[in-house]
């Protein structure tokens, strides 16, 4: 097993991690085998990035740093993909 | 597209509302927010075009959204649930155990259930995800 790795990125999408971005993040996380956890700044509570209910429950706003950690054979690819999704504002143009 | 977008084997979702517009609108939201990779269908309103639910229409929706992995039904009020259960009883015996009614808010539950289904979750996982939203 690869060691758990961790990455963080600031959310720049105007509406933050709301419903639609949460769905995208969860679906992307589910496409990897690795165990993936996510949390927002200011808390040590990591939640399962593959649980839509937990991810939506984070309610992270624009300007908040989001942290990911992953453990498993494809952990590095998973983190690249998730950080990329946040970087690209979840592939949505902010309204 | 990532792994997991091959659509052959995903739990299906059925939305049953007293209102055709609510049922259709809920499925529209699911399509826009989650995508089209899972089987989906809805049933809303009575055969006369008014508010209500109809067992035959629900049965048709279950058949339309049928998947070997099962079908999760999201309902609004009273009759939507009891008529969905009646529709399940009318299914062939080998399919009855693969259809469940989720105890969850209809719109939010449909989006949550569809997200889990799109990720390849089992029927039990799809139902549990939708029901995580419900007040205890």
């Amino acid at each position: 097993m690869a060691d758990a790795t961790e990455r963080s990125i600031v959310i720049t999408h105007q509406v933050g991690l709301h419903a639609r971005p949460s769905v995208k993040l969860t679906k992307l996380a589910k496409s990897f085998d690795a165990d993936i956890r996510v949390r927002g700044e200011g808390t040590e509570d990591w939640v399962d990035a593959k649980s839509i209910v937990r991810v939506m429950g984070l309610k992270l706003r624009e300007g908040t740093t989001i942290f990911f950690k992953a453990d498993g054979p494809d952990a590095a690819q998973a983190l690249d993909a998730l950080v990329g999704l946040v970087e690209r504002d979840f592939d949505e143009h902010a309204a | 597209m990532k792994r997991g977008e091959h659509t052959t084997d995903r739990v299906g979702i059925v939305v049953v509302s007293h209102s055709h517009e609510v049922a259709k609108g809920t499925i529209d939201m699911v399509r826009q927010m989650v995508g089209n990779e899972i089987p989906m269908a809805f049933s809303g309103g009575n055969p006369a075009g008014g508010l209500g639910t109809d067992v035959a229409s629900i049965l048709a929706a279950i058949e339309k959204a049928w998947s070997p992995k099962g079908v999760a039904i999201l309902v609004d009020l009273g009759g939507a649930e009891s008529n969905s259960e009646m529709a399940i009883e009318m299914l062939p015996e080998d399919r009855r155990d693969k259809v469940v009614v989720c105890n969850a808010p209809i719109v939010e539950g449909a989006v949550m259930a569809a997200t889990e289904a799109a990720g390849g979750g089992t029927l039990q996982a799809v139902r549990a995800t939708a029901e995580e939203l419900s007040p205890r």
Side-chain angles (χ1 to χ4, degrees), chain A residues 23 27 30-31 54 74, chain B residues 3 33-34 37 116 132:
Chain A
V23 170
K27 282 179 72 182
K30 280 174 175 295
S31 71
R54 301 270 178 256
D74 56 3
Chain B
R3 261 185 307 159
M33 295 184 71
V34 183
E37 63 261 61
E116 183 63 31
E132 252 186 282

Side-chain angles (χ1 to χ4, degrees), chain A residues 18-24 26-28 30-34 50-54 56-57 74 77 81, chain B residues 2-5 32-37 111-113 115-121 128-130 132-133:
Chain A
H18 279 207
R20 201 165 0 198
S22 297
V23 170
K24 284 189 179 168
T26 305
K27 282 179 72 182
L28 184 59
K30 280 174 175 295
S31 71
F32 295 96
D33 294 327
K50 299 181 187 183
S51 163
I52 179 59
V53 178
R54 301 270 178 256
M56 229 178 255
D74 56 3
Q77 296 95 303
Chain B
K2 284 279 160 198
R3 261 185 307 159
E5 297 226 345
Q32 281 193 33
M33 295 184 71
V34 183
N36 275 318
E37 63 261 61
V111 172
M112 301 292 177
T115 302
E116 183 63 31
T129 300
E132 252 186 282
L133 286 164

Side-chain angles (χ1 to χ4, degrees), chain B residues 17-28 42-45 49-51:
Chain B
S17 169
H18 281 66
S19 155
H20 179 268
E21 283 78 11
V22 169
K24 181 177 182 300
T26 301
I27 289 290
D28 285 345
F42 69 90
S43 167
L51 291 183

